[in-house]
């Protein structure tokens, strides 16, 4: 400690963890701008920008030993390359690579653009099946361009692959991390008390970060990852417990009475009968709301299980007791969709929901705000605009949070802090095992909707090889000819020199010029401004667009009954739960729907995807996903919308979470305000990462 503070060495500009990344050597203004897109503002952010994947160069096959029929990882230097046209008009990029043992032909059909980025002398790390085609030919499923690096330097170790962005490649990010890793790690301070860390069985923080960025083996990377996941779980546990403690202690809940006026009217005017599961869950919710205990309940139900109407019944119970109710959704589009649904369901009761989003005009917003601030019973539907400081409720008695995992702990707590200490219902389609939900959300109660509304046609799912592409596209077109709509989903927005993945942007151009020239095709991805995204989704909803070429941004809650086809390319790049969410976007109307996974996948992926194709049970799929997810995919592909966890995964980390829960409890039992010096490190981390939530601990 003392040595590091020695001022005799203070002449050189010193690297600090909170310094803007721009001032790190090798960054500068332009790169700083690009890094900001990845959420990297400071040196610390760079240190926490962890690889999302590892290429294991320690299991490389010598080229001489490669034979047709094998699935291999090889590393070789490009000795020649070029584009080969075929008679069918397909252009193939080919390269010949060499290692110490021999030469191998590598072929990328349909990807001539790679010629721009793969150069002679570049070293490539390639993974994929080997075919016999005028000799041995590797068709990479994936590859990493190591550039002109000496192939020896990557041999025998694991390569970290970082989330990248246009203009800043994964390789450049890796180089940047390597350049600064040692210096930055020296600045990292352990925030867990030694004893607690030892008991939890997790690695020391600086060591964990080293293992994550620069592992000697995939096992090491996992050890490092576990520590980072543990921290996230611990922090959330601490915040959650504290929020619960504060919410419970000063205010008991509102005691509602089941008057059976509005709720009965709704039941009688509904166009369908409630399922048995909905009735059971509602009984649990009503009992909670009528008790003096404040409700804090998680409603879990697979996509399409009918959570919205359950929330509406609870809202009406509050309203018939003279209170206001709120339903918060993660996007404007979803909020609007809920508002429409509620408009339809409430019309027979002579009521209208109040919509509150950021894009309301000033006059509309003022009117909405005034109504909320009054004590008039109403149901408000909105985005996080509902929890802004400026939004006041006159008499909020019930709050439901849809897709609750998309909100941060702070936002959830903020809605619960509005009005009169409302009863809170969290809703989620992401199946978290009950035990885990309990530990994660403290003393949360859980209700499960495990039954689907009747009369739903099953969705026909299929996995099709690349060779069936034409037939699949023809099939999609036949659905469009019937007036239906389709989604086509890609794992990435742009093509990149690092991988050979088809990307939404390029495929949008290709599909709308070729196979679907006669159709209205639109492109949707996460880099569009959210207003633009919503505008496109509205057009799709209104039938003005036939095909939506998209990334996973369409995953959450969108309900377009006329969309009957979900076509997913590179399905191996998605987790099963993610595929399940995507599949849930179709099968919402009376027409038969289809989910088609298109692509040649390796054997392991084939097994995984076959399981997905065979079942529609979201819980079963989530468990299988957890069981089978490969080690190379250690960090998963986290959705940027997931506000709570970057590294931790509730399903995968059940055991870690249990340890985090125990530690959080022990810490808060002895030091409820985190005021003791030995908890200073934890407090500082919370302050840095969850700034708003820290109000809960009333510390500066
Ligand atoms: P999710 O749980 O995914 O949020 P929704 O609440 O959006 O599901 O419901 C999906 C669809 O099912 C909606 O169109 C809704 O009107 C309908 N629905 C809900 N409950 C029933 C029911 N008991 N019988 C028939 N349809 C229902
Ligand atoms: Mg929903």
């Amino acid at each position: 400690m003392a040595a590091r503070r020695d001022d005799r060495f203070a002449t050189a500009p010193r690297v600090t963890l909170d310094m803007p990344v721009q001032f790190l050597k090798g960054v500068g203004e332009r790169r700083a701008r690009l890094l900001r897109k990845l959420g990297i503002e400071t040196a610390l952010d760079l240190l926490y920008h962890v690889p999302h994947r590892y290429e294991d160069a320690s299991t490389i096959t010598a080229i001489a030993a490669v034979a047709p029929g094998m699935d291999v990882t090889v590393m070789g230097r490009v000795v020649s390359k070029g584009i080969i046209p075929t008679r069918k008009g397909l252009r193939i990029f080919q390269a010949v690579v060499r290692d110490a043992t021999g030469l191998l032909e590598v072929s990328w059909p349909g990807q001539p653009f790679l010629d721009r980025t793969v150069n002679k002398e570049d070293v490539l790390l390639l993974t994929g099946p080997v075919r016999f085609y005028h000799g041995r030919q590797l068709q990479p499923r994936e590859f990493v361009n190591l550039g002109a690096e000496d192939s020896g330097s990557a041999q025998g170790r694991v390569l970290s692959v970082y989330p990248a962005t246009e203009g800043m490649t994964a390789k450049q990010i890796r180089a940047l991390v390597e350049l600064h890793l040692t210096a930055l790690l020296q600045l990292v301070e352990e925030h867990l008390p030694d004893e607690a860390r030892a008991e939890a069985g997790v690695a020391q923080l600086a060591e964990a970060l080293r293992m994550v960025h620069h592992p000697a083996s995939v096992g090491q990377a996992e050890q490092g990852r576990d520590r980072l996941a543990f921290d996230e779980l611990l922090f959330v546990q601490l915040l959650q417990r504290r929020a619960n403690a504060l919410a419970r202690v000063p205010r008991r809940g509102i005691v509602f009475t089941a008057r059976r006026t509005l709720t009965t009217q709704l039941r009688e005017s509904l166009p369908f009968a409630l399922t048995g599961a909905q009735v059971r869950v509602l009984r649990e919710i009503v009992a909670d709301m009528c008790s003096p205990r404040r409700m804090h309940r998680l409603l879990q139900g697979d996509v399409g299980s009918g959570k919205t109407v359950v929330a509406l019944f609870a809202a009406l119970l509050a309203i018939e007791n003279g209170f206001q109710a709120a339903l918060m959704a993660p996007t404007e589009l979803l909020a609007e969709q809920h508002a429409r649904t509620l408009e339809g369901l409430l019309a027979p009761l002579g009521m209208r929901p109040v919509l509150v989003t950021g894009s309301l005009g000033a006059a509309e917003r003022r009117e909405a705000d005034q109504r909320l601030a009054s004590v008039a019973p109403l149901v408000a539907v909105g985005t996080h605009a509902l929890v802004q400081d400026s939004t006041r409720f006159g008499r909020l008695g019930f709050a439901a949070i849809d897709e609750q995992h998309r909100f941060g702990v702070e936002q959830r707590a903020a809605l619960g802090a509005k009005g009169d200490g409302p009863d809170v219902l969290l809703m989620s389609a992401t199946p978290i095992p009950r035990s885990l939900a309990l530990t994660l959300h403290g003393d949360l109660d859980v209700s499960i909707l495990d039954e689907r509304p009747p009369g739903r046609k099953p969705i026909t799912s299929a996995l099709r090889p690349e060779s069936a592409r034409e037939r699949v596209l023809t099939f999609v077109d036949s659905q469009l000819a019937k007036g239906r709509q389709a989604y086509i989903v890609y794992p990435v927005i742009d093509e990149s020199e690092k991988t050979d993945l088809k990307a939404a942007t390029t495929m949008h151009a290709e599909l709308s010029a070729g196979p679907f020239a006669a159709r209205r095709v639109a492109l949707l991805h996460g880099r569009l401004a959210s207003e633009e995204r919503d505008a496109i989704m509205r057009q799709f909803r209104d039938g003005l667009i036939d095909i939506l070429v998209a990334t996973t941004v369409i995953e959450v809650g969108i309900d377009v009954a006329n969309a009957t086809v979900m076509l997913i390319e590179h399905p191996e790049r998605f987790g099963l739960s993610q595929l399940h969410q995507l599949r849930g976007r179709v099968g919402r109307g009376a027409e038969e729907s289809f989910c088609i996974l298109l692509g040649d996948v390796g054997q392991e992926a084939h097994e995984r995807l076959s399981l997905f194709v065979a079942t529609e049970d979201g819980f079963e799929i989530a468990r299988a996903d957890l069981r089978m997810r490969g080690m190379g995919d250690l960090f998963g592909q986290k959705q940027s919308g997931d506000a709570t966890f970057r590294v931790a995964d509730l399903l995968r980390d059940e055991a870690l979470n249990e340890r985090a829960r125990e530690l959080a409890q022990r810490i808060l039992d002895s030091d409820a305000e985190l005021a003791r010096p030995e908890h200073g490190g934890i407090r500082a981390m919370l302050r840095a990462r969850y700034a708003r939530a820290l109000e809960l601990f009333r510390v500066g």
Side-chain angles (χ1 to χ4, degrees):
M1 280 278 175
R4 232 196 291 140
R5 290 171 190 275
D6 193 331
D7 282 331
R8 280 173 303 173
F9 299 104
T11 47
R14 196 165 305 164
V15 175
T16 60
L17 288 176
D18 59 1
M19 90 195 259
V21 69
Q22 180 178 342
F23 303 123
L24 284 179
K25 197 170 142 211
V27 182
E29 218 169 294
R30 193 188 74 88
R31 282 187 157 187
R33 216 170 326 114
L34 296 171
L35 289 171
R36 200 167 305 129
K37 284 198 208 159
L38 293 165
I40 302 170
E41 308 252 359
T42 63
L44 184 71
D45 295 337
L46 182 67
L47 197 52
Y48 272 88
H49 186 66
V50 295
H52 60 94
R53 202 153 50 80
Y54 296 93
E55 293 290 345
D56 192 351
S58 61
T59 55
I60 283 173
T61 304
I63 283 179
V66 169
M70 287 168 77
D71 203 294
V72 293
T73 298
V74 301
M75 183 154 63
R77 192 179 290 279
V78 177
V79 293
S80 69
K81 61 151 195 170
I83 296 171
I84 298 170
T86 64
R87 257 181 299 165
K88 283 186 190 158
L90 182 72
R91 294 166 79 216
I92 299 177
F93 176 64
Q94 276 196 355
V96 174
V97 299
R98 171 167 54 201
D99 72 1
T101 66
L103 295 169
L104 181 65
E105 185 174 288
V106 189
S107 161
W108 288 266
Q111 296 176 60
F113 51 86
L114 289 176
D115 194 42
R116 294 196 303 267
T117 49
V118 174
N119 299 311
K120 262 177 88 167
E121 295 300 315
D122 280 355
V123 174
L124 308 181
L125 185 62
L126 305 136
T127 302
V130 183
R131 312 187 311 162
F132 187 81
Y133 186 81
H134 305 307
R136 305 171 304 166
Q137 188 184 72
L138 175 67
Q139 286 206 353
R141 201 166 34 249
E142 259 188 68
F143 78 99
V144 187
N145 187 344
L146 302 171
E149 277 177 30
D150 175 16
S151 60
S153 75
Q155 194 94 47
R157 74 171 173 89
V158 180
L159 275 181
S160 306
V161 184
Y162 290 89
T165 185
E166 203 173 310
M168 186 90 195
T169 65
K171 186 171 127 202
Q172 287 167 323
I173 293 173
R174 183 168 62 234
L176 197 60
V177 171
E178 297 232 324
L179 183 62
H180 296 287
L181 189 61
T182 308
L184 293 178
L185 286 180
Q186 279 173 3
L187 302 173
V188 169
E189 286 182 34
E190 179 57 70
H191 51 260
L192 290 182
D194 278 348
E195 191 193 344
R197 188 177 63 75
E199 221 162 290
V202 291
Q204 194 257 337
L205 184 58
E207 176 61 7
L209 284 161
R210 188 199 60 75
M211 291 193 287
V212 157
H213 287 292
H214 201 109
S217 65
V218 174
Q220 267 205 357
E222 185 178 30
Q223 243 183 302
R225 187 212 80 103
D226 280 356
R227 167 60 204 262
L228 302 188
F230 182 82
D231 278 0
E232 287 186 352
L233 293 164
L234 176 70
F235 296 154
V236 166
Q237 292 275 0
L238 288 168
L239 296 174
Q240 203 71 54
R241 275 167 184 280
R242 181 65 178 168
N244 285 348
L246 291 183
R248 281 283 165 90
V249 174
R251 253 196 308 250
R252 292 159 69 88
I254 303 160
V255 183
F256 296 99
T257 312
R259 297 182 197 278
R260 301 207 164 80
T261 53
L262 295 173
T263 45
T264 303
Q265 279 183 46
L266 176 65
R267 197 180 284 235
E268 282 167 0
S269 65
L270 273 185
F272 46 75
L274 294 180
T275 63
Q278 284 171 321
V279 171
R280 172 172 47 74
V281 159
L282 266 170
R283 212 175 284 138
E284 293 166 1
I285 292 171
V286 171
D288 248 8
M289 291 178 70
C290 294
S291 87
R293 223 171 74 112
R294 187 169 176 198
M295 179 166 78
H296 189 53
R297 186 171 280 277
L298 175 68
L299 173 57
Q300 277 192 17
D302 206 351
V303 253
S305 58
K307 294 185 286 293
T308 317
V309 72
V310 169
L312 182 58
F313 271 102
L316 288 178
L317 173 59
I319 293 172
E320 65 188 21
N321 280 269
F323 284 89
Q324 298 171 323
L327 170 59
M328 181 163 79
T331 64
E332 296 223 338
L333 199 71
L334 263 183
E336 275 179 28
Q337 187 175 291
H338 281 321
R340 280 184 166 216
T341 306
L342 265 50
E343 240 173 77
L345 295 173
L346 291 175
L349 284 65
M351 296 173 59
R352 264 182 79 93
V354 181
L355 180 66
V356 184
T357 67
S359 64
L360 288 187
E364 283 173 298
R365 181 64 190 270
R366 210 172 317 118
E367 195 200 319
D369 280 346
Q370 272 167 14
R371 291 187 61 192
L372 301 194
S374 76
V375 292
L378 54 80
V379 51
V381 180
T383 55
H384 58 275
L386 287 172
V387 297
Q388 279 166 0
D389 293 338
S390 57
T391 309
R392 296 220 155 70
F393 285 89
R395 215 171 172 222
L396 187 65
F398 170 77
I401 304 179
D402 197 18
E403 309 286 351
Q404 61 92 19
H405 61 283
R406 301 256 312 195
F407 292 97
V409 192
E410 311 101 284
Q411 286 169 317
R412 292 190 296 244
L415 188 59
K418 295 269 176 194
D420 292 24
D423 278 359
V424 176
L425 185 69
L426 306 166
M427 306 199 281
S428 177
T430 308
I432 307 168
R434 188 183 209 102
S435 60
L436 209 53
L438 289 173
T439 54
L440 179 68
H441 297 284
D443 51 0
L444 186 83
D445 297 306
V446 182
S447 289
I448 296 179
L449 275 182
D450 51 6
E451 182 184 344
R452 289 206 188 194
R456 274 293 151 77
K457 290 209 178 118
I459 300 166
T460 306
S461 302
L463 173 58
R464 293 281 176 261
E466 195 56 38
S467 57
R469 172 173 296 273
E470 244 181 78
R471 262 180 298 139
V472 167
L473 295 184
T474 306
F475 172 77
V476 173
D477 203 59
S478 72
Q479 285 284 304
L480 303 181
K482 289 186 190 166
R484 306 283 93 78
Q485 291 161 281
Y487 300 98
I488 305 184
V489 176
Y490 293 89
V492 290
I493 301 178
D494 294 309
E495 268 165 9
S496 120
E497 57 201 72
K498 291 297 155 232
T499 70
D500 54 349
L501 293 175
K502 292 191 194 69
T505 312
T506 7
M507 289 307 290
H508 169 253
E510 196 174 314
L511 292 171
S512 49
F516 299 115
R519 307 292 179 189
R520 296 163 299 179
V521 188
L523 174 66
L524 186 79
H525 58 69
R527 273 213 315 274
L528 298 177
S530 66
E531 306 88 69
E532 200 176 337
R533 237 155 47 198
D534 285 356
I536 291 170
M537 273 315 304
R538 275 182 207 111
Q539 287 172 23
F540 187 70
R541 178 192 67 198
D542 297 340
L544 302 172
I545 291 170
D546 301 310
I547 301 180
L548 206 52
V549 175
T551 56
T552 53
V553 288
I554 56 158
E555 199 178 344
V556 170
I558 292 311
D559 193 11
V560 179
N562 191 47
T564 56
V565 180
M566 171 60 66
L567 172 60
I568 303 169
E569 296 232 41
H570 295 297
E572 77 281 3
R573 298 294 305 221
F574 298 93
L576 291 187
S577 297
Q578 211 174 11
L579 290 173
H580 184 63
Q581 287 284 322
L582 287 169
R583 178 165 60 184
R585 297 306 110 222
V586 296
R588 304 194 142 237
E591 305 297 333
E592 188 180 4
S593 289
F594 306 88
C595 177
I596 307 165
L597 313 181
L598 178 60
D600 291 334
V601 300
Q603 165 148 13
E604 188 202 358
H606 195 274
E607 271 172 40
R608 214 160 52 85
L609 297 172
S610 300
L611 185 140
F612 167 79
V613 163
T615 179
E616 270 196 68
D617 182 329
F619 280 75
E620 192 182 321
I621 286 170
R623 292 244 169 240
D625 203 10
L626 172 66
R627 222 172 35 239
M628 300 195 285
R629 210 174 313 164
M631 277 306 306
D633 188 26
L634 217 51
F635 289 93
Q637 289 285 21
K638 284 287 171 188
Q639 260 185 284
S640 54
D642 192 328
T644 309
F645 299 115
R646 288 180 60 191
V647 177
D649 177 320
L650 291 182
L651 282 166
R652 175 186 206 113
D653 295 322
E654 195 158 1
L656 263 188
N657 190 40
E658 188 54 36
R659 279 182 262 159
R661 194 184 67 83
E662 282 165 17
L663 181 57
Q665 185 170 355
R666 200 141 32 81
I667 290 174
L668 292 183
D669 280 353
S670 69
D671 184 15
E673 308 248 311
L674 290 182
R676 289 217 204 130
E678 70 264 35
H679 297 142
I682 292 176
R683 202 167 55 227
M685 284 303 281
L686 285 172
R687 184 188 305 136
R689 289 230 211 146
Y690 305 87
R692 286 195 50 202
L694 253 187
E695 290 161 21
L696 298 171
F697 286 99
R698 290 189 221 98
V699 287

